[in-house]
Amino acid sequence: SEEDDALEEVKRMCNNSRLMPYEIPRKVRILSEDFTVTNGMLTPKMSLRRNHIVKIYQKDIDQLYHP
């Protein structure tokens, strides 16, 4: 799947960076929409609106940590 391919690429890049095993992601989620000011995911200064993002994607976040 697309997520599996992305995870393999992330792991390859992490291994090349000599990261510790606990620093390497075990799962990734590819989202269907970009983070923009228009959809409320970014501020006008292009900072993440973390509380809003967590509220929208809480189910996905939970699935990554608790399968």
Side-chain angles (χ1 to χ4, degrees):
S1 77
E2 192 173 320
E3 288 179 352
D4 292 335
D5 293 342
L7 182 58
E8 287 305 315
E9 180 66 16
V10 168
K11 285 182 179 180
R12 186 186 61 75
M13 292 182 343
C14 290
N15 288 334
N16 290 342
S17 299
R18 298 183 180 161
L19 295 175
M20 299 301 294
Y22 59 84
E23 296 175 300
I24 300 173
R26 292 185 204 156
K27 297 180 184 179
V28 296
R29 179 68 46 120
I30 297 176
L31 304 175
S32 59
E33 72 176 312
D34 295 333
F35 288 8
T36 66
V37 174
T38 306
N39 67 12
M41 302 293 182
L42 298 176
T43 68
K45 289 183 177 184
M46 305 306 282
S47 299
L48 293 173
R49 297 182 84 188
R50 295 177 195 281
N51 291 336
H52 183 67
I53 292 168
V54 168
K55 188 166 82 174
I56 300 297
Y57 291 107
Q58 187 64 59
K59 183 179 175 184
D60 294 302
I61 293 167
D62 290 342
Q63 287 177 351
L64 290 171
Y65 287 97
H66 309 288

